[in-house]
Structure formats: C-alpha cells, structure tokens
Amino acid sequence: MGDRYRKGMPPEHLKWIYPLQSFGNHGVMTVLSSDSPMVPSDPFTGIYTVVTRKDQFALTFSPEESVSTIDALRMYSLFPAFASFEENRKGSITSGKLADMALLSDDPTQVEPEEIKNIKNLLTIIDGKVVWEA
C-alpha cells in the first residue's frame, strides 16, 4: 500500500508508517497477517515488504524500520499465537504443541531478501495432518 500512502500523506509523515524496527526495539510484539482483502493473502509478500521496506513498485520507504527475516517470521507465527493467548499450543514447532507447519520451496532465512517474495508453500500440515499439497 506504499503508493496509496505516498499519494495520501504528507512526505514527512511517511516515516511513521509501520515503524516495526522501532516497535521491536521497545519490546512491542507486532502481529502481522495475510488477511485479505486488506493485504495480499500470500504471507511471503508481507514478509518481503517488512524486510525490504519495498512496495509493489519496488520503491523503498523508511528503510531504517526494516526488520530481519527471523523477526518477520516471528511476526507471522509466534507473536500472533501470543496475542491470541495460544502460545502454549501454537506459534512454534515445539514438543506438545499442535503440529501446524508448512513445507516451503526455500528457507526464508537463507535466501536474499529480494527472493523472499518468490518462496512457495509446497505442503501445509494442521494438527499433524496434511491438509494441502502443491
């Protein structure tokens, strides 16, 4: 939504759009999601955006507010579980928790940030059962 913000906000206000690094520096656990229609349903688009701070036109804004890939993944997994009081059941792959996970085409922490948006989900497991395969 970067283009929308550039058109609708004074330039000096753009630095305040999603200050994720600043939030993290102050201990705020920011929850991100892929809830359509507000944002693209592909979570890797969102992860790419918060890591690179680039919009759909590859324009960068507030690069100082970018976060690491690990932090972005936490914002899509561990932090939402905490926000919904389900951190003892969800959010990480840990013994005793639900086996909710996805098999990906690439390791998001090992690819260049520009490649994050190209990662594909190959398999989805919910509660230990395969519910979707590519």
Side-chain angles (χ1 to χ4, degrees), residues 47 51 67-74 107-111 113 116:
I47 293 167
V51 170
V67 297
S68 70
T69 302
I70 288 289
D71 285 343
L73 291 168
R74 287 182 183 121
D107 179 345
T109 66
Q110 298 301 310
V111 300
I116 292 172

Side-chain angles (χ1 to χ4, degrees), residues 56-67:
Q56 69 270 33
F57 303 108
L59 298 173
T60 305
F61 66 97
S62 301
E64 68 279 3
E65 292 296 343
S66 67
V67 297

Side-chain angles (χ1 to χ4, degrees), residues 42-49 51-52 69 107-109 111-120:
D42 177 5
F44 295 105
T45 300
I47 293 167
Y48 163 80
T49 299
V51 170
T52 65
T69 302
D107 179 345
T109 66
V111 300
E112 291 296 320
E114 284 298 323
E115 294 301 314
I116 292 172
K117 65 183 181 283
N118 300 322
I119 294 174
K120 301 295 180 213

Side-chain angles (χ1 to χ4, degrees), residues 6 9 32 63 67 85-86 88 91 101 113-114 129 131:
R6 275 189 207 83
M9 296 181 72
L32 299 178
V67 297
F85 304 101
E86 296 180 291
N88 294 323
M101 63 188 94
E114 284 298 323
K129 297 175 183 76
V131 296

